[in-house]
Coordinates of all heavy atoms in Angstrom, one line a residue:
R61 N -19.7 -29.6 -25.0 CA -18.6 -28.6 -24.8 C -17.5 -29.2 -24.0 O -16.3 -29.0 -24.4 CB -19.2 -27.4 -24.1 CG -18.1 -26.3 -23.8 CD -18.8 -25.2 -23.0 NE -17.8 -24.1 -22.7 CZ -17.4 -23.1 -23.5 NH1 -18.0 -23.0 -24.6 NH2 -16.5 -22.2 -23.1
L62 N -17.8 -30.0 -23.0 CA -16.7 -30.6 -22.2 C -16.0 -31.7 -23.0 O -14.7 -31.7 -23.1 CB -17.3 -31.3 -21.0 CG -16.4 -32.1 -20.1 CD1 -15.2 -31.2 -19.6 CD2 -17.1 -32.7 -18.9
Q63 N -16.7 -32.5 -23.8 CA -16.0 -33.5 -24.6 C -15.2 -32.9 -25.6 O -14.0 -33.3 -25.9 CB -17.1 -34.4 -25.3 CG -17.8 -35.4 -24.3 CD -18.9 -36.2 -25.0 OE1 -19.7 -35.7 -25.8 NE2 -18.9 -37.5 -24.6
G64 N -15.6 -31.8 -26.2 CA -14.9 -31.1 -27.3 C -13.6 -30.5 -26.7 O -12.5 -30.7 -27.3
N65 N -13.6 -29.9 -25.6 CA -12.4 -29.3 -25.0 C -11.4 -30.4 -24.5 O -10.2 -30.2 -24.7 CB -12.8 -28.5 -23.7 CG -13.2 -27.1 -24.2 OD1 -12.8 -26.5 -25.1 ND2 -14.2 -26.5 -23.4
L66 N -11.9 -31.5 -24.0 CA -11.0 -32.6 -23.6 C -10.3 -33.2 -24.8 O -9.1 -33.4 -24.7 CB -11.8 -33.6 -22.8 CG -12.4 -33.2 -21.5 CD1 -13.1 -34.4 -20.8 CD2 -11.3 -32.7 -20.5
S67 N -11.0 -33.4 -25.8 CA -10.4 -34.1 -27.0 C -9.4 -33.1 -27.7 O -8.5 -33.5 -28.3 CB -11.5 -34.5 -28.0 OG -12.2 -33.4 -28.5
K68 N -9.7 -31.8 -27.6 CA -8.8 -30.8 -28.3 C -7.6 -30.4 -27.5 O -6.6 -30.1 -28.1 CB -9.7 -29.6 -28.6 CG -9.0 -28.5 -29.4 CD -9.9 -27.4 -29.8 CE -9.2 -26.3 -30.6 NZ -10.1 -25.2 -30.9
H69 N -7.7 -30.4 -26.2 CA -6.6 -29.8 -25.4 C -6.0 -30.8 -24.4 O -4.9 -30.4 -23.8 CB -7.2 -28.7 -24.6 CG -7.8 -27.5 -25.4 ND1 -7.0 -26.7 -26.1 CD2 -9.0 -27.1 -25.6 CE1 -7.7 -25.8 -26.7 NE2 -9.0 -26.1 -26.5
V70 N -6.5 -31.9 -24.1 CA -5.9 -32.9 -23.2 C -5.5 -34.1 -23.9 O -6.3 -34.8 -24.6 CB -6.9 -33.3 -22.1 CG1 -6.3 -34.2 -21.1 CG2 -7.5 -32.0 -21.4
F71 N -4.2 -34.5 -23.8 CA -3.6 -35.6 -24.6 C -3.3 -36.8 -23.7 O -2.8 -36.7 -22.6 CB -2.4 -35.1 -25.3 CG -2.6 -33.8 -26.1 CD1 -2.0 -32.6 -25.7 CD2 -3.5 -33.8 -27.1 CE1 -2.2 -31.4 -26.4 CE2 -3.8 -32.6 -27.9 CZ -3.1 -31.5 -27.5
G72 N -3.5 -38.0 -24.3 CA -3.1 -39.2 -23.6 C -3.8 -39.6 -22.4 O -3.3 -40.4 -21.6
Q73 N -5.1 -39.2 -22.3 CA -5.9 -39.5 -21.1 C -7.2 -40.1 -21.5 O -8.3 -39.5 -21.4 CB -6.1 -38.3 -20.2 CG -4.8 -37.6 -19.8 CD -3.9 -38.5 -18.9 OE1 -4.3 -39.6 -18.5 NE2 -2.7 -38.1 -18.8
L76 N -10.8 -40.4 -19.3 CA -11.6 -39.2 -18.9 C -13.0 -39.3 -19.3 O -13.9 -38.5 -18.9 CB -11.0 -37.9 -19.5 CG -9.6 -37.5 -18.9 CD1 -9.1 -36.2 -19.6 CD2 -9.7 -37.3 -17.4
G106 N 1.8 -32.1 -14.5 CA 1.8 -31.9 -16.0 C 1.0 -32.8 -16.8 O 1.1 -32.8 -18.1
T107 N 0.2 -33.7 -16.2 CA -0.6 -34.6 -17.0 C -2.0 -34.1 -17.3 O -2.8 -34.8 -18.0 CB -0.7 -36.0 -16.3 OG1 -1.1 -35.8 -14.9 CG2 0.7 -36.7 -16.3
G108 N -2.4 -33.0 -16.7 CA -3.7 -32.4 -17.2 C -4.8 -32.3 -16.1 O -5.9 -31.9 -16.4
Y111 N -6.1 -28.7 -15.9 CA -6.7 -28.4 -17.2 C -8.1 -29.0 -17.2 O -9.1 -28.3 -17.6 CB -5.9 -29.1 -18.3 CG -5.3 -28.1 -19.3 CD1 -5.2 -26.8 -19.1 CD2 -4.9 -28.6 -20.6 CE1 -4.7 -25.9 -20.0 CE2 -4.4 -27.7 -21.5 CZ -4.3 -26.4 -21.2 OH -3.8 -25.5 -22.2
V112 N -8.3 -30.2 -16.8 CA -9.6 -30.9 -16.9 C -10.5 -30.2 -15.9 O -11.7 -30.0 -16.3 CB -9.4 -32.4 -16.5 CG1 -10.8 -33.0 -16.4 CG2 -8.6 -33.1 -17.6
K114 N -10.6 -27.1 -15.1 CA -11.0 -25.9 -15.8 C -12.1 -26.1 -16.8 O -13.1 -25.4 -16.9 CB -9.8 -25.2 -16.4 CG -10.2 -23.9 -17.2 CD -9.0 -23.3 -17.9 CE -9.4 -22.1 -18.7 NZ -10.4 -22.3 -19.7
F115 N -11.9 -27.2 -17.6 CA -12.9 -27.5 -18.7 C -14.2 -27.9 -18.1 O -15.3 -27.7 -18.7 CB -12.3 -28.5 -19.6 CG -11.1 -28.0 -20.4 CD1 -10.0 -28.8 -20.6 CD2 -11.2 -26.8 -21.0 CE1 -8.9 -28.4 -21.3 CE2 -10.1 -26.3 -21.7 CZ -9.0 -27.1 -21.9
D118 N -15.9 -24.7 -17.1 CA -16.4 -24.0 -18.3 C -17.6 -24.7 -18.9 O -18.4 -24.0 -19.6 CB -15.3 -23.9 -19.3 CG -14.2 -23.0 -18.9 OD1 -14.4 -22.2 -18.0 OD2 -13.1 -23.1 -19.5
L273 N 2.8 -39.3 -19.7 CA 2.8 -39.0 -21.1 C 4.0 -39.5 -21.9 O 5.1 -39.3 -21.4 CB 2.6 -37.5 -21.3 CG 1.4 -36.8 -20.6 CD1 1.4 -35.3 -20.8 CD2 0.1 -37.5 -21.1
H277 N 2.7 -37.5 -27.0 CA 1.8 -36.6 -26.3 C 2.4 -35.3 -26.0 O 1.8 -34.2 -26.1 CB 1.3 -37.3 -25.0 CG 0.7 -38.6 -25.2 ND1 1.1 -39.8 -24.6 CD2 -0.4 -39.0 -26.0 CE1 0.4 -40.8 -24.9 NE2 -0.5 -40.4 -25.8
W280 N 2.4 -33.2 -29.1 CA 1.1 -32.5 -29.3 C 1.0 -31.3 -28.4 O 0.5 -30.3 -28.8 CB 0.0 -33.5 -29.0 CG -0.1 -34.6 -30.0 CD1 0.4 -34.6 -31.2 CD2 -0.8 -35.9 -29.8 NE1 0.0 -35.8 -31.9 CE2 -0.7 -36.6 -31.0 CE3 -1.5 -36.4 -28.7 CZ2 -1.2 -37.9 -31.2 CZ3 -2.1 -37.7 -28.9 CH2 -1.9 -38.4 -30.1
C281 N 1.5 -31.4 -27.1 CA 1.5 -30.3 -26.2 C 2.3 -29.1 -26.8 O 1.9 -28.0 -26.7 CB 2.0 -30.7 -24.8 SG 0.9 -31.8 -23.9
T284 N 0.6 -27.5 -29.7 CA -0.6 -26.7 -29.2 C -0.1 -25.3 -28.6 O -0.7 -24.3 -28.9 CB -1.3 -27.5 -28.1 OG1 -1.9 -28.7 -28.7 CG2 -2.5 -26.6 -27.5
E285 N 1.0 -25.4 -27.9 CA 1.6 -24.1 -27.4 C 2.0 -23.2 -28.5 O 1.8 -21.9 -28.4 CB 2.7 -24.4 -26.4 CG 2.4 -25.1 -25.1 CD 1.5 -24.3 -24.2 OE1 1.5 -23.0 -24.4 OE2 0.9 -24.8 -23.3
M287 N 0.6 -23.1 -31.5 CA -0.7 -22.6 -32.1 C -1.3 -21.5 -31.2 O -1.9 -20.5 -31.8 CB -1.7 -23.8 -32.2 CG -1.3 -24.8 -33.3 SD -2.5 -26.1 -33.5 CE -3.9 -25.1 -34.1
L288 N -1.2 -21.6 -29.9 CA -1.7 -20.6 -29.0 C -1.0 -19.2 -29.3 O -1.5 -18.2 -28.9 CB -1.6 -21.0 -27.6 CG -2.5 -22.1 -27.1 CD1 -2.2 -22.6 -25.7 CD2 -4.0 -21.7 -27.2
C321 N 3.6 -32.2 -19.4 CA 3.7 -31.1 -20.3 C 4.0 -29.8 -19.6 O 3.8 -28.7 -20.1 CB 2.4 -30.9 -21.1 SG 2.1 -32.2 -22.4

Side-chain angles (χ1 to χ4, degrees):
R61 180 181 177 88
L62 177 57
Q63 287 178 317
N65 278 328
L66 293 180
S67 62
K68 185 177 180 180
H69 298 288
V70 182
F71 309 114
Q73 305 300 345
L76 292 180
T107 50
Y111 239 21
V112 173
K114 176 186 179 300
F115 293 137
D118 289 343
L273 303 182
H277 306 124
W280 290 342
C281 289
T284 298
E285 292 293 342
M287 289 182 65
L288 291 173
C321 287

